[in-house]
């Protein structure tokens, strides 16, 4: 599949702490593996008299300024200044800047020091109307409604002004790191924690009930009292050391809200939904003798008019790229099969969400096409897989496997071409063993 920018690192507690700079060896390797740095990257020229004069004129940089910035790969990339803050020093120009790398996803936005910026490249003529692709908010009507309900109460639809307000409100990450179980994790995005947490850069989560605290000692005290050793709710799947719990947001409101606060730190274009009553949360855990440790989850509306079978999906960063995302996606379709419905994920999909879904759809559909000797229709594929027909069509179209003949779509399934696409779709991930799923659809749960 395509390559994509690498999220910030994670540290296992007790091990050396990695930071988000270019000196981290492990991180550098990951970046080289996955990030498409096809965009121009410049080596910095040595500072001369002209640039010194220039510096004097441009500092402190205005919000909105575009400039080249040294990233953790040691190279210079274009950024836009999103925010600035004064440092405690006597120099009036001593600021640090919160920047957005215009070629990368917002999760890589960060505070940088002045010395990382190449002031010779400052663009003074800033066109604020030009919006970066990576920051633009694309939302479905449904998601707009959700924002409406949380931030702009009383309005039917989210207008452009509210959308700008939302962007303004969420532009700078508030919490930099969290501690969760064995891991210290750098966050990716803003999450609207209650105001009393606004002054904390780090939060400490109980890995079982997901309560969060500002200080380590508070967490330690909490851990002595907290008697949960797994998510609340029903264990509906167990295979080896993997368990899936179904948590009803109505019965476990605080847990549902805590999970949303936590998840929002890694989800950009999703809005916190305070009314968790309407959702079920499927929490995937790795279990050992200390308890069941959450590795990821997905949420699902109890009733979806749009046939959504998944609202938000997250694999916590320390557990990513191990096949859990594909497992969660496969699980959501197994639930749809049990309900006798087709399903689709709520839009928009993030870049990583899109890659994971496209990989899953490709593998599932092409596996069937390979085995199926006679012609098969999109409707039949949809019935077999619970994947919505639109998603089947778009997947097969993107692979150039659809022809339009005599007013009808026909699937062309040359075995060699299928093999090539299957290879490109990556590994299958962890299998869901359906015989281990013990579950009754919500509407039948009484
Ligand atoms: N770089 C390149 N490809 C990637 C990357 C990456 N950093 N991450 C995932 N992929 C692609 C790969 O094709 C990968 O398959 P492969 O490893 O066989 O090549 C495939 O996606 C899925 O890999 P998994 O290991 O099964 O997925 P993972 O456990 O990493 O979870 C997920 C994927 C849930 C999208 C994760 O990246 C995540 O939590 N991201 C942050 C939250 C998010 O964006 N969620 C989706 C929002 S959309 C929605 O909620 C409806
Ligand atoms: Zn707890």
């Amino acid at each position: 599949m395509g390559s994509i920018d690498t999220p910030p690192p994670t540290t296992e507690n007790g091990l050396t702490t990695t930071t988000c700079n270019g000196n981290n060896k492990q991180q550098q390797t990951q970046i080289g593996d996955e990030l498409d740095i096809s965009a121009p990257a410049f080596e910095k020229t040595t500072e001369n008299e002209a640039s010194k004069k220039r510096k004097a004129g441009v500092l402190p940089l205005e919000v909105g300024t575009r400039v080249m910035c040294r990233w953790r790969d040691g190279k210079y990339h274009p950024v836009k200044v999103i925010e600035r803050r004064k440092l405690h020093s006597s120099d009036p120009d001593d600021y640090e800047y919160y920047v957005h790398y215009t070629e990368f996803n917002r999760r890589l936005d960060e505070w940088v020091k002045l010395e990382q910026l190449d002031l010779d490249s400052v663009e003074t003529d800033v066109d604020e109307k030009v919006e970066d692709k990576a920051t633009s908010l694309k939302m479905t009507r449904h998601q707009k409604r959700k924002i409406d309900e949380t931030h702009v109460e009383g309005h039917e639809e989210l207008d452009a002004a509210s959308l700008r307000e939302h962007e303004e409100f969420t532009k700078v990450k508030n919490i930099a790191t969290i501690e969760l179980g064995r891991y210290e994790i750098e966050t990716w995005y803003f999450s609207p924690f209650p105001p009393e947490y606004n002054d904390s850069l780090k939060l400490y989560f109980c890995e079982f009930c997901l309560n969060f605290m500002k200080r380590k000692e508070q967490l330690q005290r909490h851990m002595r009292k907290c008697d949960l050793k797994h998510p609340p709710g029903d264990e509906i799947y167990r295979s080896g050391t993997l368990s899936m719990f179904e948590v009803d947001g109505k019965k476990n409101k605080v847990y549902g809200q805590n999970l949303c606060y936590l998840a929002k730190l890694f989800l950009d274009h999703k809005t916190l939904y305070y009314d968790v009553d309407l959702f079920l949360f499927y929490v995937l855990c790795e279990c050992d003798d200390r308890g069941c440790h959450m590795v990821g989850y997905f949420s699902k509306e109890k009733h979806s008019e749009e046939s959504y079978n998944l609202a938000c999906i997250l694999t916590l960063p320390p557990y990513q790229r191990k096949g859990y995302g594909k497992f969660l996606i496969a699980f959501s379709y197994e639930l749809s099969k049990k309900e006798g419905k087709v399903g689709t994920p709520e839009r928009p999909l993030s870049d990583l969400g899109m890659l994971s879904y496209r990989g899953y759809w490709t593998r599932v559909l092409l596996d069937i096409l390979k085995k199926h000797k006679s012609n098969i229709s999109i409707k039949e594929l949809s019935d077999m897989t619970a994947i919505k027909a639109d998603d089947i069509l778009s997947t097969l179209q993107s692979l150039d496997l659809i022809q339009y003949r005599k007013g009808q779509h026909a699937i062309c399934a040359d075995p060699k071409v299928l093999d090539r696409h299957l290879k490109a779709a990556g590994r299958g991930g962890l299998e869901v063993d359906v015989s281990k799923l013990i579950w009754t659809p919500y509407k039948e749960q009484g």
Side-chain angles (χ1 to χ4, degrees), residues 206-211 222-223 226-228:
C206 167
E207 63 165 329
F208 301 117
C209 69
L210 300 184
N211 279 346
H222 171 90
M223 295 316 286
C226 184
D227 44 20
L228 269 187

Side-chain angles (χ1 to χ4, degrees), residues 85-104:
R85 65 183 175 205
K86 180 89 184 63
L87 293 170
H88 300 289
S89 80
S90 53
D91 182 349
D93 291 336
D94 215 358
Y95 279 78
E96 52 181 7
Y97 298 92
Y98 194 76
V99 298
H100 166 61
Y101 295 87
T102 54
E103 297 150 345
F104 304 152

Side-chain angles (χ1 to χ4, degrees), residues 163-289:
L163 208 64
R164 268 201 303 280
E165 190 188 321
H166 170 79
E167 273 203 318
E168 178 65 23
F169 189 62
T170 64
K171 67 185 181 183
V172 179
K173 263 173 243 182
N174 45 345
I175 308 294
T177 53
I178 58 163
E179 199 174 293
L180 180 75
R182 283 190 300 146
Y183 294 102
E184 176 166 295
I185 308 169
E186 286 192 18
T187 66
W188 295 6
Y189 306 110
F190 173 91
S191 179
F193 283 93
E196 59 269 33
Y197 295 87
N198 280 350
D199 57 348
S200 314
L201 281 177
K202 181 169 178 182
L203 289 182
Y204 298 85
F205 279 81
C206 167
E207 63 165 329
F208 301 117
C209 69
L210 300 184
N211 279 346
F212 44 88
M213 284 138 261
K214 293 208 274 190
R215 285 182 296 109
K216 178 117 187 157
E217 306 81 67
Q218 288 174 306
L219 177 67
Q220 285 164 340
R221 253 200 319 275
H222 171 90
M223 295 316 286
R224 284 196 287 274
K225 287 187 306 200
C226 184
D227 44 20
L228 269 187
K229 285 284 170 270
H230 55 74
D234 303 323
E235 188 178 16
I236 58 167
Y237 179 92
R238 187 189 298 184
S239 177
T241 55
L242 273 193
S243 276
M244 184 74 103
F245 289 82
E246 183 188 62
V247 184
D248 184 330
K250 189 166 183 178
K251 294 183 193 153
N252 295 283
K253 229 182 168 68
V254 175
Y255 181 88
Q257 283 169 350
N258 290 346
L259 180 55
C260 289
Y261 282 127
L262 169 66
K264 179 63 194 71
L265 292 167
F266 306 99
L267 284 155
D268 191 10
H269 296 165
K270 294 282 178 185
T271 320
L272 199 73
Y273 205 40
Y274 292 103
D275 195 0
V276 292
D277 289 24
L278 309 177
F279 288 86
L280 294 164
F281 299 91
Y282 294 92
V283 186
L284 180 62
C285 296
E286 274 180 4
C287 305
D288 58 26
D289 50 3

Side-chain angles (χ1 to χ4, degrees), residues 6 8 35 43 80 102 115 167 178 222 230 261 288 308 356 359 386 390-391 444:
T6 312
L35 177 71
E43 300 299 335
K80 181 176 169 184
T102 54
E115 70 235 24
E167 273 203 318
I178 58 163
H222 171 90
H230 55 74
Y261 282 127
D288 58 26
Y308 293 139
S356 305
D390 292 348
D391 297 331
E444 296 162 28

Side-chain angles (χ1 to χ4, degrees), residues 4 266 312-315 321-323 325-326 346 350 356 427:
I4 208 147
F266 306 99
C312 294
I313 178 171
L314 167 74
T315 303
R321 294 308 295 272
K322 295 178 197 286
K326 279 174 259 186
E346 191 181 303
S350 66
S356 305
R427 294 161 293 171

